[in-house]
Amino acid sequence: MKGIFVTFEGCEGVGKSRQIHLLEEYLKKNNVKYYLTREPGGTPVSEQIRNVILDGKNVSMTDECEALLYAAARVQLLKEEVKPRLDRGELVLCDRYVDSSLAYQGYARGLGVEFVEKINDYAIKNFMPDYTLFLKLTPEEAFKRKGGVDKTDRLELSGMEFHQKVYQGYLALAEKYKDRFIVIDASGEKEETHAKIIAALKEKGVI
Ligand code: TYD
C-alpha cells in the first residue's frame, strides 16, 4: 500500500460534514489530489446496504445484524474503491470507518468491543487507517449548539445517554489507538477547527 488512508470520526452534530467540506476546499485550492468517500456507502452495493440499515421500517433489526451489515458495506467499499486507490498511491479520505462500529455498536449498543472487533477483523482483515481524525465535542456541547436538549422529550434524553456512550467509546479508542488517532478539539469556531485539522495533517506529512 503506497497511499495514505485518513478517516474522520465524531459524534452526531460535531460539524464533521462541514469540516470535511472545508478540507475539500483547501485540498482543491492547493491542488492536492484526493478521493473522498463515506460510510456506510460509497459503492452501489454499500449504498443499498446503507438503505437497509437506515430504513425506519426495519425496526426488528437486531444489533448483531446491524453490526454485520456495517461490516459488509465496509469490506465492499474497501475492496472496490479504497484499496485500489491506496495501491496506486492516492490519498483516500473516508467519512467514518471501523471506529464508528466500535463506538456505536461496540460501546453504545452494548454488543461489546470484542464482538465488533472480531467481525470487522474478519471482514477487513485488520485493514486500518493510517490516521483517524476524531472531532472531539461532548454530546452536551453539540446539543447546546443546536439549541439544547428538550428535557421533556424522553427520546432526546435517552438519545443523550446513547450519544454519551458513543462519546466515551471514542475517548477509549483514542487512548487505545494513540498512534493512529488525532484528537481535534471541535469546540471552537469552524475556522479554528479547520486550522487545527490542516495543521495536524501537515504535521503528519499527509498534505
Ligand atoms: P449519516 O447520516 O451518514 O451520519 P453522520 O453525518 O453523522 O456521519 O449516518 C450514519 C449513521 O450511522 C451515524 O448515526 C453513525 C452510524 N454508524 C454506525 O452506527 N456504525 C458504523 O459503523 C457507521 C459507519 C455508522
Side-chain angles (χ1 to χ4, degrees):
M1 192 183 94
K2 298 180 297 213
I4 304 181
F5 185 25
V6 179
T7 59
F8 295 83
E9 298 285 352
C11 297
E12 246 86 356
V14 300
K16 186 164 52 65
S17 307
R18 178 185 285 172
Q19 287 303 328
I20 291 173
H21 179 69
L22 289 174
L23 176 61
E24 276 203 280
E25 282 182 349
Y26 176 93
L27 296 175
K28 280 185 187 136
K29 211 159 63 193
N30 289 278
N31 295 315
V32 180
K33 196 170 172 248
Y34 69 94
Y35 177 77
L36 171 68
T37 188
R38 68 156 182 188
E39 270 215 47
T43 75
V45 169
S46 308
E47 289 290 335
Q48 288 178 64
I49 297 174
R50 177 188 176 93
N51 291 338
V52 173
I53 298 173
L54 300 181
D55 187 341
K57 288 200 297 291
N58 289 332
V59 284
S60 61
M61 186 181 293
T62 64
D63 293 345
E64 289 82 355
C65 175
E66 183 191 63
L68 286 161
L69 287 176
Y70 276 119
R74 181 164 301 130
V75 66
Q76 184 68 33
L77 175 67
L78 183 66
K79 288 202 162 175
E80 198 176 329
E81 298 288 352
V82 176
K83 251 186 130 288
R85 285 182 166 78
L86 292 172
D87 287 340
R88 292 200 296 268
E90 293 181 23
L91 169 61
V92 177
L93 310 173
C94 192
D95 183 352
R96 298 195 181 279
Y97 190 61
V98 66
D99 298 298
S100 283
S101 283
L102 296 170
Y104 282 79
Q105 281 67 52
Y107 285 96
R109 286 249 192 268
L111 280 180
V113 178
E114 247 172 62
F115 172 78
V116 179
E117 249 169 6
K118 206 176 268 178
I119 58 175
N120 277 281
D121 284 352
Y122 181 71
I124 62 174
K125 306 279 177 281
N126 228 345
F127 193 97
M128 297 306 271
D130 295 293
Y131 300 109
T132 297
L133 287 166
F134 168 53
L135 300 191
K136 185 180 173 195
L137 186 71
T138 64
E140 284 85 358
E141 285 172 291
F143 269 103
K144 220 185 281 165
R145 268 192 195 169
K146 79 162 193 116
V149 181
D150 179 356
K151 293 222 161 64
T152 62
D153 184 325
R154 191 181 58 82
L155 272 181
E156 266 202 20
L157 280 174
S158 72
M160 198 60 183
E161 213 173 287
F162 178 79
H163 292 296
Q164 255 310 333
K165 286 186 194 159
V166 173
Y167 179 67
Q168 293 302 330
Y170 273 130
L171 293 184
L173 290 168
E175 187 57 34
K176 186 169 173 186
Y177 299 110
K178 269 200 189 97
D179 294 346
R180 171 167 68 82
F181 262 74
I182 301 170
V183 179
I184 303 282
D185 173 5
S187 63
E189 293 296 317
K190 66 174 192 287
E191 292 79 11
E192 265 175 70
T193 306
H194 173 62
K196 284 177 191 158
I197 290 174
I198 298 300
L201 291 176
K202 278 187 176 165
E203 195 202 315
K204 299 290 183 191
V206 174
I207 55 175

